[in-house]
């Protein structure tokens, strides 16, 4: 059983489907605030270090690309953070770690060391530009920026809790962020969006959705992108991302979105029938998958891009935990095994 943790960073109201970050509602932030605004909100400081941080990371990563490019993406993110010489002040370290994740994800997408960062442009614009080797459109930049804002902070989820446990031992920011990356990658947390697209690909057309989903449930498998430990109603981030997706969609995107919306309706119907006692609704990962696909992010990099957003929350929690100065050490209940 985890200890109850007090935080002033966010409130996840699972009964009413509301997310509040540092006193601001998600409805107020998504599509309006930038990633840099979120950094200021969560870290209580200006975001001026992020652009120079990307340049610093890019310079220090030069020698490491041959290894990073031949490493699984989440391992490459952790390796990059572990290899770089980071400063000892919390703010400088948090800025450089966050900036580094953006540069690594861009290089992994491109398959080589990206062109040098432009420190003066936004984090979202620079990640997309480095990823493609060419600037993205304003609508695409707004799409990625809105995504990073939407996922930046979300209470005591598994990766944030991991970061806090590590921070509570006074291990420092980098170990906490590296540990959080480990927790994020599982399919029950941040690893679900890739499988959401695999599911849409396997279903193929709206007409086959019901029978495909039904067979999955009968086989005892979970439908990716549905259900949440805290939300008992629709995850508010799903609608925030859906709004961003509608603003982005092109011809192909419209077809994909129509299929996804039809799959979503069938999945919710079937989940209601198969788990009548449990409210299972659409979660953030369902529309994350579609949004990142529309932005041309390779499926294997969905979780690393998620990390680029969530790192703001992790670093804020690390500082809060360090200020609190209390070791997290839940009790366990010993139940001797009964052998037949
Ligand atoms: N599809 C089918 N059944 C489900 C689903 C699902 N997506 N989610 C929960 N259930 C069922 C479980 O099988 C279980 O049924 P049972 O009681 O008959 O055994 C019941 O609902 C409760 O499941 P729990 O695992 O106890 O519920 P929990 O609140 O711990 O689950 C979780 C939350 C892990 C997110 C779950 O809903 C899930 O596995 N979803 C699919 C994966 C996913 O979308 N992950 C991303 C989550 S969002 C994020 O972390 C960023």
């Amino acid at each position: 059983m985890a200890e109850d943790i007090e935080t002033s960073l966010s409130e996840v109201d699972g009964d009413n489907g509301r997310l509040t970050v540092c006193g601001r509602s998600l409805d107020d932030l998504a599509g309006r605030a930038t990633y840099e605004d979120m950094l200021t909100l969560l870290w209580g400081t200006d975001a001026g270090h992020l652009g120079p941080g990307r340049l610093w990371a890019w310079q220090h990563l030069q020698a490491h690309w041959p290894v990073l490019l031949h490493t699984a993406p989440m391992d490459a993110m952790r390796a990059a953070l572990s290899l770089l010489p980071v400063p000892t002040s919390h703010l400088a370290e948090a800025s450089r770690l966050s900036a580094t994740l953006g540069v690594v994800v861009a290089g992994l997408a491109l398959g080589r060391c990206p062109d040098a960062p432009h420190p003066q442009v936004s984090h979202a614009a620079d990640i997309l530009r480095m990823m493609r080797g060419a600037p993205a459109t304003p609508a695409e930049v707004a799409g990625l920026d809105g995504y990073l804002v939407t996922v930046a902070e979300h209470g005591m989820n598994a990766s944030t809790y991991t970061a806090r446990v590590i921070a509570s031992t006074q291990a420092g920011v980098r170990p906490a962020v590296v540990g959080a990356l480990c927790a994020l990658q599982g399919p029950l947390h941040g690893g679900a969006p890739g499988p959401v697209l695999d599911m849409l690909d396997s279903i193929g057309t709206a007409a086959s959705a019901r029978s495909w989903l039904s067979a999955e449930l009968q086989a005892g498998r979970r439908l990716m992108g549905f259900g949440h430990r805290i939300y008992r109603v629709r995850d508010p981030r799903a609608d925030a991302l859906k709004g961003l997706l509608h603003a982005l969609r092109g011809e192909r995107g419209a077809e994909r979105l129509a299929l996804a919306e039809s799959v979503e309706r069938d999945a919710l119907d079937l989940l209601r029938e198969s788990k009548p006692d449990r409210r299972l609704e659409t979660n953030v990962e369902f529309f994350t998958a579609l949004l990142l696909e529309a932005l041309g992010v390779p499926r294997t990099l969905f979780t690393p891009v998620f990390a680029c957003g969530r790192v703001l929350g992790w670093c804020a929690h690390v500082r809060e935990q360090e200020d609190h100065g209390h070791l997290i050490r839940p009790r366990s209940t010993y139940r001797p095994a009964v052998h037949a």
Side-chain angles (χ1 to χ4, degrees):
M1 181 84 62
E3 291 181 28
D4 196 24
I5 291 181
E6 278 186 15
T7 179
S8 53
L9 294 168
S10 64
E11 184 189 20
V12 182
D13 177 351
D15 294 330
N16 297 299
R18 278 200 289 267
L19 169 62
T20 307
V21 180
C22 298
R24 304 266 306 270
S25 123
L26 177 67
D27 299 342
D28 184 27
L29 294 167
R32 294 201 181 92
T34 63
Y35 183 80
E36 284 73 10
D37 295 334
M38 287 306 275
L39 188 156
T40 303
L41 194 63
L42 284 162
W43 296 5
T45 181
D46 78 76
H49 299 277
L50 209 50
R54 289 193 298 277
L55 201 53
W56 173 89
W58 180 80
Q59 283 158 350
H60 282 85
L61 284 170
Q62 296 285 333
H64 301 300
W65 285 108
V67 172
L68 297 179
L69 293 170
H70 291 94
T71 306
M74 287 300 280
D75 293 332
M77 303 283 268
R78 288 189 286 269
L81 295 189
S82 303
L83 287 164
L84 298 191
V86 289
T88 47
S89 101
H90 178 99
L91 176 60
E93 187 172 2
S95 310
R96 288 192 177 177
L97 294 174
S98 305
T100 300
L101 294 185
V103 176
V104 174
V105 93
L108 295 177
L110 197 62
R112 62 172 169 80
C113 171
D115 293 343
H118 291 176
Q120 71 286 1
V121 306
S122 74
H123 198 52
D126 217 16
I127 290 177
L128 285 174
R129 188 192 59 77
M130 288 189 285
M131 250 183 192
R132 299 165 175 192
T137 66
E140 290 171 325
V141 172
L144 181 61
D145 208 18
Y147 169 72
L148 297 174
V149 165
T150 303
V151 302
E153 163 57 17
H154 199 243
M156 212 44 54
N157 55 82
S159 56
T160 300
Y161 182 64
T162 303
R164 283 194 79 127
V165 171
I166 295 171
S168 83
T169 71
Q170 298 183 356
V173 190
R174 173 162 47 188
V177 171
V178 170
L181 284 166
C182 293
L184 184 73
Q185 82 182 67
L188 300 193
H189 186 14
V196 167
L197 288 192
D198 298 340
M199 172 177 79
L200 293 181
D201 288 347
S202 303
I203 292 173
T205 63
S208 26
R210 220 178 156 83
S211 57
W212 191 96
L213 295 164
S214 192
E216 285 294 290
L217 289 174
Q218 272 163 23
R221 286 190 282 271
R222 293 179 179 216
L223 304 182
M224 290 292 132
F226 298 91
H228 197 273
R229 176 62 64 83
I230 305 293
Y231 290 120
R232 290 293 164 255
V233 294
R234 197 176 165 83
D235 183 336
R237 298 168 301 168
D239 286 329
L241 297 183
K242 194 172 175 177
L244 293 167
L245 186 62
H246 273 281
L248 244 190
R249 67 181 177 170
E251 185 102 329
R252 180 169 184 277
E255 258 175 52
R256 191 71 157 161
L257 187 53
L259 170 66
E261 286 178 336
S262 171
V263 167
E264 186 190 13
R265 277 192 298 275
D266 285 336
L268 292 174
D269 271 356
L270 290 165
L271 286 169
R272 257 173 236 129
E273 283 167 23
S274 66
K275 308 274 173 207
D277 303 332
R278 172 104 194 163
R279 285 204 62 180
L280 296 170
E281 300 284 338
T282 314
N283 67 41
V284 66
E285 301 292 38
F286 192 77
F287 287 103
T288 288
L290 294 155
L291 181 67
L292 295 185
E293 181 185 51
L295 288 170
V297 175
R299 220 166 271 210
T300 50
L301 295 180
F302 286 0
T303 311
V305 173
F306 188 169
C308 290
R310 183 56 58 83
V311 69
L312 293 187
W314 293 335
C315 292
H317 278 275
V318 168
R319 201 186 49 190
E320 195 176 56
Q321 186 63 42
E322 286 174 344
D323 289 349
H324 197 257
H326 170 72
L327 176 72
I328 299 175
R329 203 311 186 182
R331 290 184 177 279
S332 53
T333 306
Y334 175 54
R335 294 197 200 290
V338 182
H339 297 290

